Each structure stands twice: as structure tokens, then as C-alpha cells.
Amino acid sequence: MHKMIISTVAIVVLLLGFSSPTIDARAETEVIPLDQPPSLMEKAFLRSLGETIFDVMRHHGDHQLFEFGRIEEITGDDPYDVTLSVIGFEGPHNPPHKFIRMTLRIPGKAEADYTVLSYSHRHLSRKEYRKLTQYR
């Protein structure tokens, strides 16, 4: 009887010890509607990311100021992947304007700093600028 219990415990320990870590495939994604004004929560979250956004822009060669930030999508469950966009400008809100989109991994408890997952930018025409700033 003892041999059977010990054998069962040993098998369970071995199976648990060599099993691969489980990955939660149920990470949620929230898409923020861009055809309406930003919520108070979105504005507050963007303000908290302000220095991070500047750092990422400078690191990618965009030495501009930005305005009209929007969060487009948030995915994950600690850490979070946040896709956001801003409109860069030079001088007193003057052209050339750039549409800048980035995805940042906001660190979990054990991590120390954010990670840039993607970054893109392109110049905006006046028509695109007016359209993009309608709900920002």
C-alpha cells in the first residue's frame, strides 16, 4: 500500500515538474472607439504616459512636441500592451504634423521599465490633420 502511494506521489511530482508552463490565451483586448471624444480615464492615462511618449519619440528620431493623443487598443493582463497615437508638431502647433503610432508594453510587477513593441510615423496633409483631430 505504501509503495503504491509513494509511486503515485512520485509520478505526480514528476509530471508537475516537467510540464510546460501554461500560457493564458484568454488575454483580453479592449479597442477604444476613435469616433468619439476621449474619456476622462483615457486622458488621465495618456498624461501619465507623457514622459514615456516623449522618450520613445526622441529615441526614434522625432524631436517634436505632441498633442491629440489617443489610446487605440489595450491588450493583456499584466503586462499590458498599449497601442496609442499622437500628432507631432514643430513650433507653436505648426506643420509639419506627423501621425505617430506606437505600441508599448507596460511592465508587470517584476519588470522595471516599458518596452517599445512597434513604432511608426508619417507626415500628415492638412486634410488628414483635420480629420484626425476631429475627435481628439
Side-chain angles (χ1 to χ4, degrees):
M1 178 75 170
H2 290 297
K3 286 183 179 181
M4 189 170 155
I5 293 173
I6 292 173
S7 298
T8 304
V9 169
I11 290 172
V12 169
V13 168
L14 286 173
L15 288 175
L16 291 175
F18 291 113
S19 67
S20 62
T22 57
I23 297 173
D24 187 8
R26 297 174 295 153
E28 294 184 44
T29 298
E30 183 174 334
V31 178
I32 313 301
L34 299 176
D35 61 347
Q36 51 191 285
S39 68
L40 185 61
M41 191 178 311
E42 182 180 356
K43 290 179 191 178
F45 186 47
L46 281 166
R47 180 178 286 177
S48 73
L49 289 175
E51 283 300 314
T52 301
I53 294 169
F54 275 124
D55 289 345
V56 172
M57 287 173 62
R58 279 190 289 262
H59 179 76
H60 287 86
D62 286 322
H63 300 283
Q64 294 183 308
L65 299 173
F66 72 89
E67 61 186 345
F68 299 117
R70 288 303 304 257
I71 301 208
E72 297 178 4
E73 182 179 283
I74 300 175
T75 302
D77 187 19
D78 202 17
Y80 297 95
D81 295 343
V82 178
T83 300
L84 59 97
S85 60
V86 297
I87 296 179
F89 64 91
E90 293 181 15
H93 304 279
N94 290 331
H97 293 105
K98 283 186 183 177
F99 181 74
I100 300 166
R101 177 179 282 137
M102 61 185 81
T103 301
L104 306 174
R105 176 154 293 155
I106 306 298
K109 297 171 191 156
E111 299 170 37
D113 209 0
Y114 64 88
T115 305
V116 179
L117 301 178
S118 69
Y119 186 91
S120 65
H121 62 133
R122 63 181 173 82
H123 287 282
L124 292 174
S125 68
R126 288 193 185 279
K127 184 177 178 182
E128 287 178 303
Y129 176 81
R130 280 192 295 275
K131 183 179 177 185
L132 284 171
T133 58
Q134 183 178 3
Y135 293 106
R136 289 181 182 246

Short mmCIF file of all heavy atoms in Angstrom, two decimals, residues 32-79:
data_model
loop_
_atom_site.label_atom_id
_atom_site.label_comp_id
_atom_site.label_asym_id
_atom_site.label_seq_id
_atom_site.Cartn_x
_atom_site.Cartn_y
_atom_site.Cartn_z
N ILE A 32 -10.53 51.02 -28.19
CA ILE A 32 -11.15 52.28 -27.82
C ILE A 32 -11.74 52.92 -29.08
O ILE A 32 -11.05 53.09 -30.07
CB ILE A 32 -10.10 53.25 -27.20
CG1 ILE A 32 -9.25 52.55 -26.15
CG2 ILE A 32 -10.76 54.50 -26.67
CD1 ILE A 32 -9.97 51.95 -24.99
N PRO A 33 -13.02 53.31 -29.06
CA PRO A 33 -13.61 53.95 -30.24
C PRO A 33 -13.00 55.33 -30.48
O PRO A 33 -12.95 56.16 -29.58
CB PRO A 33 -15.10 54.05 -29.89
CG PRO A 33 -15.18 53.93 -28.42
CD PRO A 33 -13.97 53.16 -27.97
N LEU A 34 -12.52 55.55 -31.68
CA LEU A 34 -11.85 56.80 -32.02
C LEU A 34 -12.80 57.81 -32.68
O LEU A 34 -12.39 58.92 -33.01
CB LEU A 34 -10.65 56.54 -32.94
CG LEU A 34 -9.57 55.64 -32.33
CD1 LEU A 34 -8.48 55.37 -33.36
CD2 LEU A 34 -9.00 56.25 -31.08
N ASP A 35 -14.05 57.43 -32.85
CA ASP A 35 -15.01 58.32 -33.49
C ASP A 35 -15.86 59.08 -32.46
O ASP A 35 -16.96 59.52 -32.75
CB ASP A 35 -15.91 57.55 -34.45
CG ASP A 35 -16.73 56.47 -33.76
OD1 ASP A 35 -16.44 56.15 -32.59
OD2 ASP A 35 -17.65 55.94 -34.39
N GLN A 36 -15.33 59.20 -31.26
CA GLN A 36 -15.95 59.98 -30.22
C GLN A 36 -14.86 60.56 -29.32
O GLN A 36 -13.74 60.08 -29.33
CB GLN A 36 -16.96 59.15 -29.43
CG GLN A 36 -16.41 57.83 -28.92
CD GLN A 36 -17.52 56.95 -28.38
OE1 GLN A 36 -17.99 57.21 -27.30
NE2 GLN A 36 -17.91 55.94 -29.13
N PRO A 37 -15.18 61.62 -28.59
CA PRO A 37 -14.14 62.25 -27.76
C PRO A 37 -13.57 61.27 -26.72
O PRO A 37 -14.25 60.35 -26.28
CB PRO A 37 -14.90 63.40 -27.06
CG PRO A 37 -16.08 63.65 -27.92
CD PRO A 37 -16.45 62.33 -28.53
N PRO A 38 -12.31 61.49 -26.32
CA PRO A 38 -11.69 60.60 -25.34
C PRO A 38 -12.36 60.73 -23.97
O PRO A 38 -12.83 61.80 -23.60
CB PRO A 38 -10.24 61.07 -25.29
CG PRO A 38 -10.25 62.45 -25.82
CD PRO A 38 -11.40 62.54 -26.76
N SER A 39 -12.36 59.63 -23.23
CA SER A 39 -12.93 59.64 -21.88
C SER A 39 -11.94 60.28 -20.91
O SER A 39 -10.75 60.45 -21.21
CB SER A 39 -13.23 58.21 -21.42
OG SER A 39 -12.02 57.50 -21.22
N LEU A 40 -12.43 60.63 -19.76
CA LEU A 40 -11.58 61.21 -18.72
C LEU A 40 -10.47 60.22 -18.33
O LEU A 40 -9.32 60.62 -18.12
CB LEU A 40 -12.44 61.57 -17.50
CG LEU A 40 -11.75 62.29 -16.36
CD1 LEU A 40 -11.20 63.62 -16.84
CD2 LEU A 40 -12.74 62.51 -15.23
N MET A 41 -10.80 58.94 -18.25
CA MET A 41 -9.81 57.92 -17.90
C MET A 41 -8.71 57.84 -18.96
O MET A 41 -7.53 57.74 -18.64
CB MET A 41 -10.49 56.56 -17.74
CG MET A 41 -9.59 55.52 -17.14
SD MET A 41 -10.40 53.92 -16.89
CE MET A 41 -11.90 54.34 -16.08
N GLU A 42 -9.10 57.91 -20.23
CA GLU A 42 -8.11 57.88 -21.31
C GLU A 42 -7.19 59.08 -21.23
O GLU A 42 -5.96 58.95 -21.37
CB GLU A 42 -8.83 57.84 -22.66
CG GLU A 42 -7.89 57.75 -23.84
CD GLU A 42 -8.61 57.72 -25.18
OE1 GLU A 42 -9.86 57.70 -25.22
OE2 GLU A 42 -7.90 57.74 -26.20
N LYS A 43 -7.75 60.27 -21.00
CA LYS A 43 -6.93 61.47 -20.88
C LYS A 43 -5.94 61.37 -19.72
O LYS A 43 -4.76 61.73 -19.86
CB LYS A 43 -7.81 62.70 -20.68
CG LYS A 43 -8.60 63.11 -21.88
CD LYS A 43 -9.46 64.32 -21.52
CE LYS A 43 -10.48 64.66 -22.55
NZ LYS A 43 -11.30 65.81 -22.15
N ALA A 44 -6.40 60.86 -18.58
CA ALA A 44 -5.52 60.72 -17.41
C ALA A 44 -4.40 59.72 -17.68
O ALA A 44 -3.24 59.95 -17.32
CB ALA A 44 -6.34 60.30 -16.19
N PHE A 45 -4.73 58.60 -18.32
CA PHE A 45 -3.73 57.58 -18.62
C PHE A 45 -2.68 58.13 -19.59
O PHE A 45 -1.48 57.92 -19.41
CB PHE A 45 -4.41 56.33 -19.17
CG PHE A 45 -3.48 55.16 -19.37
CD1 PHE A 45 -2.58 54.78 -18.39
CD2 PHE A 45 -3.51 54.44 -20.53
CE1 PHE A 45 -1.72 53.71 -18.58
CE2 PHE A 45 -2.67 53.36 -20.74
CZ PHE A 45 -1.77 53.00 -19.75
N LEU A 46 -3.12 58.85 -20.61
CA LEU A 46 -2.18 59.46 -21.55
C LEU A 46 -1.28 60.48 -20.87
O LEU A 46 -0.09 60.56 -21.17
CB LEU A 46 -2.92 60.11 -22.72
CG LEU A 46 -3.41 59.15 -23.79
CD1 LEU A 46 -4.41 59.81 -24.70
CD2 LEU A 46 -2.23 58.60 -24.58
N ARG A 47 -1.83 61.24 -19.95
CA ARG A 47 -1.00 62.21 -19.22
C ARG A 47 0.08 61.49 -18.42
O ARG A 47 1.22 61.92 -18.37
CB ARG A 47 -1.85 63.07 -18.29
CG ARG A 47 -0.98 64.08 -17.53
CD ARG A 47 -1.78 64.97 -16.64
NE ARG A 47 -2.50 65.93 -17.46
CZ ARG A 47 -3.34 66.81 -16.97
NH1 ARG A 47 -3.59 66.85 -15.68
NH2 ARG A 47 -3.96 67.66 -17.77
N SER A 48 -0.28 60.36 -17.82
CA SER A 48 0.72 59.61 -17.03
C SER A 48 1.81 59.02 -17.92
O SER A 48 2.91 58.78 -17.46
CB SER A 48 0.04 58.52 -16.21
OG SER A 48 -0.38 57.46 -17.04
N LEU A 49 1.51 58.80 -19.19
CA LEU A 49 2.50 58.26 -20.13
C LEU A 49 3.28 59.35 -20.87
O LEU A 49 4.12 59.04 -21.71
CB LEU A 49 1.80 57.37 -21.17
CG LEU A 49 1.27 56.04 -20.70
CD1 LEU A 49 0.51 55.35 -21.82
CD2 LEU A 49 2.40 55.15 -20.20
N GLY A 50 3.03 60.61 -20.57
CA GLY A 50 3.62 61.72 -21.32
C GLY A 50 5.12 61.65 -21.47
O GLY A 50 5.64 61.74 -22.59
N GLU A 51 5.85 61.49 -20.40
CA GLU A 51 7.33 61.43 -20.48
C GLU A 51 7.78 60.20 -21.25
O GLU A 51 8.76 60.26 -22.00
CB GLU A 51 7.94 61.44 -19.08
CG GLU A 51 7.95 62.80 -18.44
CD GLU A 51 8.74 63.83 -19.26
OE1 GLU A 51 9.86 63.52 -19.69
OE2 GLU A 51 8.22 64.94 -19.45
N THR A 52 7.08 59.09 -21.07
CA THR A 52 7.42 57.87 -21.80
C THR A 52 7.24 58.09 -23.30
O THR A 52 8.09 57.70 -24.11
CB THR A 52 6.54 56.70 -21.32
OG1 THR A 52 6.76 56.50 -19.93
CG2 THR A 52 6.86 55.43 -22.07
N ILE A 53 6.14 58.73 -23.69
CA ILE A 53 5.89 59.01 -25.10
C ILE A 53 7.00 59.90 -25.67
O ILE A 53 7.53 59.63 -26.75
CB ILE A 53 4.50 59.65 -25.30
CG1 ILE A 53 3.40 58.65 -24.92
CG2 ILE A 53 4.31 60.13 -26.73
CD1 ILE A 53 2.01 59.26 -24.81
N PHE A 54 7.38 60.95 -24.94
CA PHE A 54 8.48 61.82 -25.39
C PHE A 54 9.77 61.02 -25.55
O PHE A 54 10.49 61.19 -26.54
CB PHE A 54 8.72 62.97 -24.41
CG PHE A 54 7.84 64.16 -24.64
CD1 PHE A 54 7.05 64.64 -23.62
CD2 PHE A 54 7.82 64.82 -25.86
CE1 PHE A 54 6.23 65.74 -23.82
CE2 PHE A 54 7.01 65.92 -26.07
CZ PHE A 54 6.21 66.38 -25.04
N ASP A 55 10.08 60.17 -24.58
CA ASP A 55 11.30 59.37 -24.66
C ASP A 55 11.30 58.48 -25.90
O ASP A 55 12.30 58.37 -26.60
CB ASP A 55 11.46 58.49 -23.42
CG ASP A 55 11.80 59.28 -22.18
OD1 ASP A 55 12.19 60.46 -22.30
OD2 ASP A 55 11.65 58.72 -21.06
N VAL A 56 10.18 57.82 -26.16
CA VAL A 56 10.09 56.93 -27.32
C VAL A 56 10.22 57.73 -28.61
O VAL A 56 10.95 57.33 -29.53
CB VAL A 56 8.76 56.14 -27.29
CG1 VAL A 56 8.56 55.36 -28.58
CG2 VAL A 56 8.72 55.20 -26.08
N MET A 57 9.55 58.88 -28.69
CA MET A 57 9.65 59.71 -29.90
C MET A 57 11.09 60.16 -30.13
O MET A 57 11.60 60.06 -31.26
CB MET A 57 8.73 60.94 -29.77
CG MET A 57 7.26 60.62 -29.90
SD MET A 57 6.18 62.04 -29.55
CE MET A 57 6.69 63.20 -30.82
N ARG A 58 11.77 60.63 -29.10
CA ARG A 58 13.16 61.08 -29.25
C ARG A 58 14.06 59.92 -29.67
O ARG A 58 14.92 60.08 -30.54
CB ARG A 58 13.66 61.70 -27.95
CG ARG A 58 13.22 63.14 -27.77
CD ARG A 58 13.94 63.77 -26.59
NE ARG A 58 13.47 63.23 -25.33
CZ ARG A 58 12.57 63.81 -24.55
NH1 ARG A 58 12.04 64.96 -24.89
NH2 ARG A 58 12.19 63.26 -23.42
N HIS A 59 13.85 58.76 -29.08
CA HIS A 59 14.65 57.59 -29.41
C HIS A 59 14.49 57.20 -30.89
O HIS A 59 15.41 56.67 -31.50
CB HIS A 59 14.27 56.41 -28.51
CG HIS A 59 15.03 55.16 -28.80
ND1 HIS A 59 16.34 54.99 -28.41
CD2 HIS A 59 14.69 54.03 -29.47
CE1 HIS A 59 16.76 53.80 -28.82
NE2 HIS A 59 15.78 53.20 -29.46
N HIS A 60 13.32 57.47 -31.47
CA HIS A 60 13.06 57.13 -32.86
C HIS A 60 13.26 58.33 -33.81
O HIS A 60 12.80 58.30 -34.95
CB HIS A 60 11.65 56.56 -33.01
CG HIS A 60 11.54 55.18 -32.46
ND1 HIS A 60 11.27 54.93 -31.12
CD2 HIS A 60 11.69 53.97 -33.05
CE1 HIS A 60 11.25 53.63 -30.92
NE2 HIS A 60 11.51 53.02 -32.08
N GLY A 61 13.92 59.37 -33.34
CA GLY A 61 14.30 60.49 -34.20
C GLY A 61 13.24 61.57 -34.39
O GLY A 61 13.43 62.46 -35.20
N ASP A 62 12.13 61.49 -33.68
CA ASP A 62 11.09 62.51 -33.78
C ASP A 62 11.27 63.50 -32.64
O ASP A 62 10.73 63.32 -31.54
CB ASP A 62 9.69 61.87 -33.74
CG ASP A 62 9.35 61.16 -35.02
OD1 ASP A 62 9.73 61.66 -36.09
OD2 ASP A 62 8.71 60.10 -34.96
N HIS A 63 12.03 64.55 -32.90
CA HIS A 63 12.30 65.57 -31.88
C HIS A 63 11.25 66.66 -32.00
O HIS A 63 11.53 67.78 -32.41
CB HIS A 63 13.72 66.12 -32.05
CG HIS A 63 14.76 65.05 -31.92
ND1 HIS A 63 15.15 64.54 -30.71
CD2 HIS A 63 15.45 64.36 -32.86
CE1 HIS A 63 16.06 63.60 -30.89
NE2 HIS A 63 16.26 63.47 -32.20
N GLN A 64 10.02 66.28 -31.68
CA GLN A 64 8.88 67.17 -31.77
C GLN A 64 8.11 67.14 -30.46
O GLN A 64 8.34 66.27 -29.62
CB GLN A 64 7.92 66.72 -32.88
CG GLN A 64 8.45 66.81 -34.28
CD GLN A 64 7.39 66.41 -35.28
OE1 GLN A 64 6.77 65.36 -35.17
NE2 GLN A 64 7.17 67.27 -36.26
N LEU A 65 7.20 68.07 -30.35
CA LEU A 65 6.20 68.01 -29.28
C LEU A 65 5.01 67.23 -29.84
O LEU A 65 4.95 66.96 -31.04
CB LEU A 65 5.78 69.42 -28.88
CG LEU A 65 6.90 70.30 -28.32
CD1 LEU A 65 6.40 71.72 -28.11
CD2 LEU A 65 7.45 69.72 -27.03
N PHE A 66 4.07 66.87 -28.98
CA PHE A 66 2.91 66.15 -29.48
C PHE A 66 1.65 66.64 -28.78
O PHE A 66 1.68 67.23 -27.71
CB PHE A 66 3.07 64.63 -29.31
CG PHE A 66 2.97 64.15 -27.89
CD1 PHE A 66 1.74 63.80 -27.35
CD2 PHE A 66 4.09 64.03 -27.10
CE1 PHE A 66 1.64 63.35 -26.05
CE2 PHE A 66 4.01 63.58 -25.80
CZ PHE A 66 2.78 63.23 -25.27
N GLU A 67 0.54 66.38 -29.44
CA GLU A 67 -0.78 66.68 -28.90
C GLU A 67 -1.76 65.67 -29.46
O GLU A 67 -1.39 64.81 -30.25
CB GLU A 67 -1.20 68.11 -29.26
CG GLU A 67 -1.30 68.37 -30.74
CD GLU A 67 -1.59 69.82 -31.08
OE1 GLU A 67 -2.00 70.58 -30.18
OE2 GLU A 67 -1.42 70.19 -32.24
N PHE A 68 -3.00 65.78 -29.07
CA PHE A 68 -4.08 64.94 -29.60
C PHE A 68 -3.80 63.45 -29.44
O PHE A 68 -4.00 62.66 -30.36
CB PHE A 68 -4.36 65.26 -31.07
CG PHE A 68 -4.80 66.68 -31.31
CD1 PHE A 68 -4.02 67.53 -32.08
CD2 PHE A 68 -5.97 67.16 -30.75
CE1 PHE A 68 -4.43 68.84 -32.30
CE2 PHE A 68 -6.38 68.46 -30.97
CZ PHE A 68 -5.61 69.31 -31.74
N GLY A 69 -3.33 63.04 -28.28
CA GLY A 69 -3.07 61.64 -28.02
C GLY A 69 -4.36 60.84 -27.90
O GLY A 69 -5.37 61.35 -27.40
N ARG A 70 -4.33 59.62 -28.37
CA ARG A 70 -5.45 58.70 -28.23
C ARG A 70 -4.91 57.30 -27.97
O ARG A 70 -3.92 56.88 -28.57
CB ARG A 70 -6.30 58.64 -29.51
CG ARG A 70 -7.15 59.84 -29.80
CD ARG A 70 -8.15 60.23 -28.71
NE ARG A 70 -9.07 59.20 -28.32
CZ ARG A 70 -10.34 59.12 -28.69
NH1 ARG A 70 -10.84 60.02 -29.49
NH2 ARG A 70 -11.10 58.15 -28.25
N ILE A 71 -5.57 56.59 -27.09
CA ILE A 71 -5.29 55.18 -26.89
C ILE A 71 -6.17 54.43 -27.86
O ILE A 71 -7.37 54.68 -27.93
CB ILE A 71 -5.57 54.77 -25.44
CG1 ILE A 71 -4.72 55.62 -24.55
CG2 ILE A 71 -5.43 53.28 -25.26
CD1 ILE A 71 -4.31 55.10 -23.26
N GLU A 72 -5.58 53.56 -28.65
CA GLU A 72 -6.33 52.82 -29.65
C GLU A 72 -6.74 51.44 -29.17
O GLU A 72 -7.83 50.97 -29.47
CB GLU A 72 -5.53 52.71 -30.94
CG GLU A 72 -5.25 54.07 -31.58
CD GLU A 72 -4.40 53.98 -32.83
OE1 GLU A 72 -4.08 52.85 -33.28
OE2 GLU A 72 -4.06 55.04 -33.37
N GLU A 73 -5.83 50.79 -28.42
CA GLU A 73 -6.10 49.41 -28.03
C GLU A 73 -5.25 49.05 -26.82
O GLU A 73 -4.10 49.48 -26.72
CB GLU A 73 -5.76 48.50 -29.22
CG GLU A 73 -6.01 47.05 -29.00
CD GLU A 73 -5.66 46.24 -30.24
OE1 GLU A 73 -6.47 46.26 -31.19
OE2 GLU A 73 -4.60 45.62 -30.25
N ILE A 74 -5.81 48.27 -25.93
CA ILE A 74 -5.08 47.73 -24.79
C ILE A 74 -5.31 46.23 -24.78
O ILE A 74 -6.44 45.76 -24.86
CB ILE A 74 -5.55 48.35 -23.46
CG1 ILE A 74 -5.35 49.86 -23.48
CG2 ILE A 74 -4.81 47.71 -22.29
CD1 ILE A 74 -5.89 50.57 -22.25
N THR A 75 -4.21 45.47 -24.70
CA THR A 75 -4.28 44.02 -24.68
C THR A 75 -3.45 43.50 -23.51
O THR A 75 -2.40 44.04 -23.21
CB THR A 75 -3.70 43.43 -25.99
OG1 THR A 75 -4.43 43.96 -27.08
CG2 THR A 75 -3.82 41.92 -26.01
N GLY A 76 -3.93 42.43 -22.90
CA GLY A 76 -3.12 41.76 -21.90
C GLY A 76 -3.74 41.73 -20.54
O GLY A 76 -4.86 42.17 -20.32
N ASP A 77 -2.97 41.17 -19.63
CA ASP A 77 -3.38 41.05 -18.25
C ASP A 77 -2.13 41.03 -17.38
O ASP A 77 -1.80 40.03 -16.77
CB ASP A 77 -4.22 39.79 -18.05
CG ASP A 77 -4.81 39.70 -16.66
OD1 ASP A 77 -4.89 40.74 -15.99
OD2 ASP A 77 -5.20 38.60 -16.25
N ASP A 78 -1.39 42.14 -17.38
CA ASP A 78 -0.18 42.33 -16.60
C ASP A 78 0.95 41.44 -17.08
O ASP A 78 1.08 40.33 -16.61
CB ASP A 78 -0.43 42.12 -15.12
CG ASP A 78 0.62 42.81 -14.26
OD1 ASP A 78 1.33 43.67 -14.78
OD2 ASP A 78 0.71 42.49 -13.07
N PRO A 79 1.77 41.87 -18.01
CA PRO A 79 1.89 43.23 -18.53
C PRO A 79 0.81 43.53 -19.58
O PRO A 79 0.18 42.62 -20.11
CB PRO A 79 3.27 43.26 -19.16
CG PRO A 79 3.51 41.85 -19.60
CD PRO A 79 2.81 41.00 -18.58
#
